[in-house]
Structure formats: C-alpha cells, structure tokens
Amino acid sequence: MRKINTIGVLTSGGDAPGMNAAIRAIVLTAQHHGISVTGFKRGFNGLLNGEHFQLTECYVRDIIHHGGTVLKSARCQAFTTEQGQLQASEVLNRLAIDCLIVIGGDGSLRGAELLADYWSGQIIGLPGTIDNDVAGADKTIGFATAVNTAVEAIDKIRDTADAFERTFLVEVMGRESGYIAMSVAIACAAEQVLTFESRQLPSQQLASIVNHITNAQKSRGNSSYIMVIAENLWPTGTIELAKELTKQSNIECQPCILGHIQRGGRPVFEDRILATKLGVAAVEASVDGAHLVMLGEVNQSITATPLSKLALEHKTIDTFLFNAQQQIFEYHDFHD
Ligand code: ATP
C-alpha cells in the first residue's frame, strides 16, 4: 500500500447543504494524519483547468453551518469525454495527488469511476446530492436539509391554503427520484403526492387526481388541499397540470414551484453529522488503500460500495412509506 501524502477533493453536480461539513472533516482528518489536501474548484472543471488551492484548517474553520460549498460546484460537459478525463489525469499526476475524493450525486460518482481508466491514484466517492437517489447510502448529504426546507415552505403554504380554502400543487426537486416528494408529502400531511414511483401513467393519473380533489371537497367541504409533485414528472410541466386540474375539477388549483430554495440554506444537524462522518471515513479509507468505492451510511454503519455497482442499482423509495401514503393516507379520508 502506498503512503498517501496528498488528497484532492472536489464537489460536483448540484450543491447540497452539508458539503462544507464533509470538506471540513476531510481537511481536519487529513491534517491529523499528516496529509495535505488540495481543493479543486467548480467540480471537474477545476481538475481540467488546474484551478486548485491548498485547503488548510483555517480555511474550513467556519464553514460547517453554511449551505453551498466553499469549493463551488458545477456540471462539466468537457469531463464526460475521454479527452477530458485524460486531461484531468494529467493535472492529478502533475500535482502528485495520491487520492481523489469526489463529493456529488450519481453522475459525479460515475465520472469519478471513469477517471480510473486514465489515472492510477485512489478514487473515493461520497454521496452529496439533495435528491437521495444514490444506492449504497440510506441518506445522501443534503437530503435532510432539502426536505426540511420544503416542509417549512409547505407549512406556510398550508396556512394560506387553510385561510382561503384553496388547492395548491407544490413542485419539489428530486430530478428523476421521488424521495424528496414522498418525504415532504408525508411530513406535511399532503392530501396527495405525485411521484415517478406511482403505478399509474400520467394520462390515467389525471382522472384519478381530479376525482381525489373533488371527493375531498365533497366529503370535507371547502378546505385546503395540498398536492406535492416531483419535478420533471408531468410531461407538460407542473403549471400546465395545475391549469388542467382547474379546468377538469372546476376547483382552482394554484401551482407553486419551490425550486432552488431547496438546495440552499443552513444544513440541518443530520446533514452536518452525516457529512462529518463520511469525510472522516473517506480519509481513513484512503489511508487504508480504498479505491473506486463510495462510502455511505447504511443502517448506521459506514459502508463501502464499489462505484461500478452504483449505476446498476436503482435506489427505490421506502416501500413502507410509499404504501402508507397510497393505501392509508391518500384514499382513506375521501373514499366514495
Ligand atoms: P445531482 O444529483 O445534484 O444532480 P450529479 O452528480 O448526479 O448531482 P450530474 O449533472 O449528473 O450531477 O453530474 C455532474 C457532473 O459529473 C457532470 O457535469 C459531469 O462532469 C460528470 N458526469 C456525470 N455523468 C458522467 C458520465 N457518465 N461520465 C463522465 N462524467 C460524468
């Protein structure tokens, strides 16, 4: 096993609250082991352009409570090409990096894996994305904060929906995954949740959503009604769906897209602790020679999953919660 002298770290893909806590833990743990840390800026862009700087203790002293990432994050199309990966490997060799830690979502982790075709250093991934769609991790860094932010926002929407007895269609983030939507819907006692995991096609869903709204009004009288929808779910978009629901149900349905407020904000304690654990574990794993793995927490244990397995395993949402929402909460109150 070779001795690790320098670790490189970058954050890639959508920023996620808690990334800073992971960076801090990496830097402090590395310092403890006498390892220096080079930070690359703007995800893989920093690797390609050689945009880097030395991360020291004073740089990470006051960052644990900030959202975003001090390393900045970005998508990087150029890195997806062989030429880009080759260029990145040349930069890593020139800087004598022994181990690269990539903090990001499934795309970033896939990119990290591909780099091994061109570079012989160790590669370790940490799951950092609000979407919680990475296999091998019960929770990704940022997920808890994003859910919390959306819950706070919808609690406020509920107040006004109650006061005006209105129906709201609230879109939350999650790319192609329903984790955020389902969690937020349960936590806000939403009357309805529309996610990719639903067994119905959108065309079939429309009729059942309309029924659900009208039945709710019939059985409860005028009252607030909140529907949570995952982004990218409705083919024509959430605003169009709201218009269609208004037309078909004759009940005004107000769309509300929460958008990027879910990505920012102070990380909640769960994300700070998860990120800290994973940051410490990543450095310790690098010292132990780990390579081409992602570290995630599974059943309260830090678990290493080969990066090659991530693309093959689709992380499904908690079936217990899903069934509860579908069978108990969603239909129970308003069945005709
Ligand atoms: P989030 O879940 O927050 O969107 P992500 O890491 O999944 O994060 P992506 O946009 O999928 O976000 O990927 C981030 C970056 O990782 C891409 O811009 C690209 O540089 C790199 N990347 C993604 N997929 C690949 C791939 N198949 N090959 C090489 N690089 C990739």
Side-chain angles (χ1 to χ4, degrees), residues 262-286:
Q262 295 156 95
R263 285 242 299 256
R266 293 165 75 91
V268 296
F269 86 92
E270 290 97 330
D271 279 326
R272 299 183 197 197
I273 291 174
L274 173 66
T276 299
K277 275 177 160 176
L278 294 180
V280 173
V283 175
E284 292 189 336
S286 79

mmCIF file of all heavy atoms in Angstrom, residues 262-286:
data_model
loop_
_atom_site.group_PDB
_atom_site.id
_atom_site.type_symbol
_atom_site.label_atom_id
_atom_site.label_comp_id
_atom_site.label_asym_id
_atom_site.label_seq_id
_atom_site.Cartn_x
_atom_site.Cartn_y
_atom_site.Cartn_z
ATOM 1 N N GLN A 262 -34.668 24.917 -2.167
ATOM 2 C CA GLN A 262 -34.408 23.616 -1.518
ATOM 3 C C GLN A 262 -32.941 23.220 -1.540
ATOM 4 O O GLN A 262 -32.516 22.335 -0.820
ATOM 5 C CB GLN A 262 -35.193 22.505 -2.228
ATOM 6 C CG GLN A 262 -36.674 22.657 -2.111
ATOM 7 C CD GLN A 262 -37.387 21.946 -3.249
ATOM 8 O OE1 GLN A 262 -37.806 20.810 -3.100
ATOM 9 N NE2 GLN A 262 -37.509 22.587 -4.379
ATOM 10 N N ARG A 263 -32.161 23.828 -2.405
ATOM 11 C CA ARG A 263 -30.748 23.445 -2.492
ATOM 12 C C ARG A 263 -29.896 24.229 -1.495
ATOM 13 O O ARG A 263 -28.817 23.776 -1.113
ATOM 14 C CB ARG A 263 -30.225 23.697 -3.917
ATOM 15 C CG ARG A 263 -30.684 22.701 -4.933
ATOM 16 C CD ARG A 263 -29.534 21.928 -5.563
ATOM 17 N NE ARG A 263 -28.582 22.753 -6.260
ATOM 18 C CZ ARG A 263 -28.510 22.858 -7.594
ATOM 19 N NH1 ARG A 263 -29.338 22.200 -8.351
ATOM 20 N NH2 ARG A 263 -27.592 23.608 -8.149
ATOM 21 N N GLY A 264 -30.372 25.410 -1.114
ATOM 22 C CA GLY A 264 -29.536 26.240 -0.257
ATOM 23 C C GLY A 264 -29.922 26.139 1.205
ATOM 24 O O GLY A 264 -30.691 25.271 1.603
ATOM 25 N N GLY A 265 -29.360 27.039 1.992
ATOM 26 C CA GLY A 265 -29.738 27.134 3.402
ATOM 27 C C GLY A 265 -28.786 26.398 4.326
ATOM 28 O O GLY A 265 -27.989 25.557 3.905
ATOM 29 N N ARG A 266 -28.904 26.754 5.593
ATOM 30 C CA ARG A 266 -28.036 26.145 6.612
ATOM 31 C C ARG A 266 -28.330 24.662 6.709
ATOM 32 O O ARG A 266 -29.495 24.280 6.842
ATOM 33 C CB ARG A 266 -28.334 26.776 7.983
ATOM 34 C CG ARG A 266 -27.944 28.230 8.094
ATOM 35 C CD ARG A 266 -28.583 28.847 9.306
ATOM 36 N NE ARG A 266 -27.919 28.430 10.523
ATOM 37 C CZ ARG A 266 -26.908 29.090 11.076
ATOM 38 N NH1 ARG A 266 -26.463 30.190 10.532
ATOM 39 N NH2 ARG A 266 -26.351 28.651 12.180
ATOM 40 N N PRO A 267 -27.310 23.837 6.673
ATOM 41 C CA PRO A 267 -27.562 22.403 6.792
ATOM 42 C C PRO A 267 -28.124 22.040 8.165
ATOM 43 O O PRO A 267 -27.677 22.582 9.176
ATOM 44 C CB PRO A 267 -26.183 21.761 6.591
ATOM 45 C CG PRO A 267 -25.190 22.851 6.671
ATOM 46 C CD PRO A 267 -25.894 24.161 6.465
ATOM 47 N N VAL A 268 -29.104 21.172 8.185
ATOM 48 C CA VAL A 268 -29.642 20.703 9.466
ATOM 49 C C VAL A 268 -28.616 19.760 10.108
ATOM 50 O O VAL A 268 -27.691 19.291 9.442
ATOM 51 C CB VAL A 268 -31.001 19.980 9.289
ATOM 52 C CG1 VAL A 268 -32.048 20.940 8.770
ATOM 53 C CG2 VAL A 268 -30.877 18.767 8.366
ATOM 54 N N PHE A 269 -28.799 19.482 11.390
ATOM 55 C CA PHE A 269 -27.755 18.735 12.101
ATOM 56 C C PHE A 269 -27.512 17.361 11.497
ATOM 57 O O PHE A 269 -26.388 16.865 11.474
ATOM 58 C CB PHE A 269 -28.067 18.658 13.599
ATOM 59 C CG PHE A 269 -28.974 17.517 13.993
ATOM 60 C CD1 PHE A 269 -28.440 16.299 14.370
ATOM 61 C CD2 PHE A 269 -30.360 17.654 13.955
ATOM 62 C CE1 PHE A 269 -29.260 15.243 14.725
ATOM 63 C CE2 PHE A 269 -31.181 16.610 14.306
ATOM 64 C CZ PHE A 269 -30.633 15.398 14.690
ATOM 65 N N GLU A 270 -28.570 16.736 10.956
ATOM 66 C CA GLU A 270 -28.382 15.391 10.374
ATOM 67 C C GLU A 270 -27.370 15.429 9.230
ATOM 68 O O GLU A 270 -26.525 14.544 9.096
ATOM 69 C CB GLU A 270 -29.707 14.834 9.838
ATOM 70 C CG GLU A 270 -30.725 14.465 10.891
ATOM 71 C CD GLU A 270 -31.744 15.575 11.116
ATOM 72 O OE1 GLU A 270 -31.390 16.767 10.944
ATOM 73 O OE2 GLU A 270 -32.896 15.262 11.473
ATOM 74 N N ASP A 271 -27.464 16.479 8.399
ATOM 75 C CA ASP A 271 -26.522 16.570 7.277
ATOM 76 C C ASP A 271 -25.117 16.900 7.762
ATOM 77 O O ASP A 271 -24.131 16.395 7.221
ATOM 78 C CB ASP A 271 -26.998 17.629 6.268
ATOM 79 C CG ASP A 271 -28.065 17.063 5.344
ATOM 80 O OD1 ASP A 271 -27.994 15.866 5.017
ATOM 81 O OD2 ASP A 271 -28.985 17.809 4.968
ATOM 82 N N ARG A 272 -25.020 17.748 8.771
ATOM 83 C CA ARG A 272 -23.682 18.090 9.287
ATOM 84 C C ARG A 272 -23.002 16.853 9.848
ATOM 85 O O ARG A 272 -21.807 16.620 9.646
ATOM 86 C CB ARG A 272 -23.786 19.150 10.385
ATOM 87 C CG ARG A 272 -24.400 20.447 9.912
ATOM 88 C CD ARG A 272 -24.399 21.483 11.022
ATOM 89 N NE ARG A 272 -25.322 22.569 10.719
ATOM 90 C CZ ARG A 272 -25.312 23.741 11.314
ATOM 91 N NH1 ARG A 272 -24.430 23.997 12.260
ATOM 92 N NH2 ARG A 272 -26.179 24.673 10.985
ATOM 93 N N ILE A 273 -23.767 16.039 10.565
ATOM 94 C CA ILE A 273 -23.165 14.857 11.201
ATOM 95 C C ILE A 273 -22.849 13.789 10.156
ATOM 96 O O ILE A 273 -21.752 13.221 10.146
ATOM 97 C CB ILE A 273 -24.091 14.330 12.316
ATOM 98 C CG1 ILE A 273 -24.087 15.342 13.465
ATOM 99 C CG2 ILE A 273 -23.631 12.948 12.810
ATOM 100 C CD1 ILE A 273 -25.051 15.048 14.576
ATOM 101 N N LEU A 274 -23.808 13.545 9.267
ATOM 102 C CA LEU A 274 -23.565 12.551 8.207
ATOM 103 C C LEU A 274 -22.319 12.941 7.397
ATOM 104 O O LEU A 274 -21.426 12.112 7.157
ATOM 105 C CB LEU A 274 -24.792 12.477 7.281
ATOM 106 C CG LEU A 274 -24.638 11.618 6.029
ATOM 107 C CD1 LEU A 274 -24.475 10.141 6.404
ATOM 108 C CD2 LEU A 274 -25.840 11.787 5.094
ATOM 109 N N ALA A 275 -22.258 14.205 6.998
ATOM 110 C CA ALA A 275 -21.132 14.659 6.164
ATOM 111 C C ALA A 275 -19.819 14.565 6.934
ATOM 112 O O ALA A 275 -18.777 14.206 6.369
ATOM 113 C CB ALA A 275 -21.385 16.097 5.714
ATOM 114 N N THR A 276 -19.874 14.867 8.220
ATOM 115 C CA THR A 276 -18.654 14.795 9.033
ATOM 116 C C THR A 276 -18.173 13.350 9.131
ATOM 117 O O THR A 276 -16.988 13.046 8.935
ATOM 118 C CB THR A 276 -18.925 15.385 10.433
ATOM 119 O OG1 THR A 276 -19.295 16.757 10.267
ATOM 120 C CG2 THR A 276 -17.709 15.286 11.334
ATOM 121 N N LYS A 277 -19.109 12.449 9.394
ATOM 122 C CA LYS A 277 -18.733 11.021 9.498
ATOM 123 C C LYS A 277 -18.109 10.547 8.185
ATOM 124 O O LYS A 277 -17.081 9.864 8.172
ATOM 125 C CB LYS A 277 -19.987 10.169 9.725
ATOM 126 C CG LYS A 277 -20.451 10.043 11.147
ATOM 127 C CD LYS A 277 -21.726 9.232 11.077
ATOM 128 C CE LYS A 277 -22.140 8.575 12.325
ATOM 129 N NZ LYS A 277 -23.432 7.893 12.191
ATOM 130 N N LEU A 278 -18.773 10.900 7.078
ATOM 131 C CA LEU A 278 -18.301 10.404 5.775
ATOM 132 C C LEU A 278 -16.964 11.039 5.393
ATOM 133 O O LEU A 278 -16.113 10.379 4.787
ATOM 134 C CB LEU A 278 -19.358 10.654 4.692
ATOM 135 C CG LEU A 278 -20.670 9.865 4.860
ATOM 136 C CD1 LEU A 278 -21.650 10.187 3.734
ATOM 137 C CD2 LEU A 278 -20.417 8.355 4.908
ATOM 138 N N GLY A 279 -16.775 12.301 5.776
ATOM 139 C CA GLY A 279 -15.495 12.955 5.476
ATOM 140 C C GLY A 279 -14.352 12.285 6.232
ATOM 141 O O GLY A 279 -13.289 11.998 5.664
ATOM 142 N N VAL A 280 -14.580 12.008 7.505
ATOM 143 C CA VAL A 280 -13.554 11.313 8.312
ATOM 144 C C VAL A 280 -13.294 9.933 7.708
ATOM 145 O O VAL A 280 -12.146 9.520 7.493
ATOM 146 C CB VAL A 280 -14.016 11.175 9.786
ATOM 147 C CG1 VAL A 280 -13.040 10.305 10.581
ATOM 148 C CG2 VAL A 280 -14.175 12.535 10.446
ATOM 149 N N ALA A 281 -14.382 9.236 7.404
ATOM 150 C CA ALA A 281 -14.254 7.869 6.876
ATOM 151 C C ALA A 281 -13.511 7.853 5.539
ATOM 152 O O ALA A 281 -12.724 6.933 5.269
ATOM 153 C CB ALA A 281 -15.643 7.247 6.704
ATOM 154 N N ALA A 282 -13.730 8.877 4.729
ATOM 155 C CA ALA A 282 -13.083 8.899 3.406
ATOM 156 C C ALA A 282 -11.571 8.987 3.555
ATOM 157 O O ALA A 282 -10.821 8.287 2.863
ATOM 158 C CB ALA A 282 -13.617 10.076 2.590
ATOM 159 N N VAL A 283 -11.114 9.842 4.465
ATOM 160 C CA VAL A 283 -9.658 9.976 4.640
ATOM 161 C C VAL A 283 -9.098 8.687 5.240
ATOM 162 O O VAL A 283 -8.051 8.173 4.794
ATOM 163 C CB VAL A 283 -9.325 11.196 5.529
ATOM 164 C CG1 VAL A 283 -7.824 11.250 5.816
ATOM 165 C CG2 VAL A 283 -9.781 12.478 4.839
ATOM 166 N N GLU A 284 -9.789 8.137 6.224
ATOM 167 C CA GLU A 284 -9.284 6.899 6.831
ATOM 168 C C GLU A 284 -9.261 5.768 5.806
ATOM 169 O O GLU A 284 -8.327 4.975 5.754
ATOM 170 C CB GLU A 284 -10.117 6.540 8.066
ATOM 171 C CG GLU A 284 -9.842 7.601 9.139
ATOM 172 C CD GLU A 284 -10.403 7.295 10.504
ATOM 173 O OE1 GLU A 284 -11.379 6.518 10.594
ATOM 174 O OE2 GLU A 284 -9.882 7.875 11.484
ATOM 175 N N ALA A 285 -10.288 5.731 4.953
ATOM 176 C CA ALA A 285 -10.324 4.694 3.915
ATOM 177 C C ALA A 285 -9.183 4.900 2.925
ATOM 178 O O ALA A 285 -8.574 3.931 2.445
ATOM 179 C CB ALA A 285 -11.671 4.729 3.196
ATOM 180 N N SER A 286 -8.866 6.151 2.637
ATOM 181 C CA SER A 286 -7.774 6.397 1.675
ATOM 182 C C SER A 286 -6.444 5.918 2.266
ATOM 183 O O SER A 286 -5.635 5.315 1.562
ATOM 184 C CB SER A 286 -7.722 7.873 1.272
ATOM 185 O OG SER A 286 -7.101 8.627 2.274
#
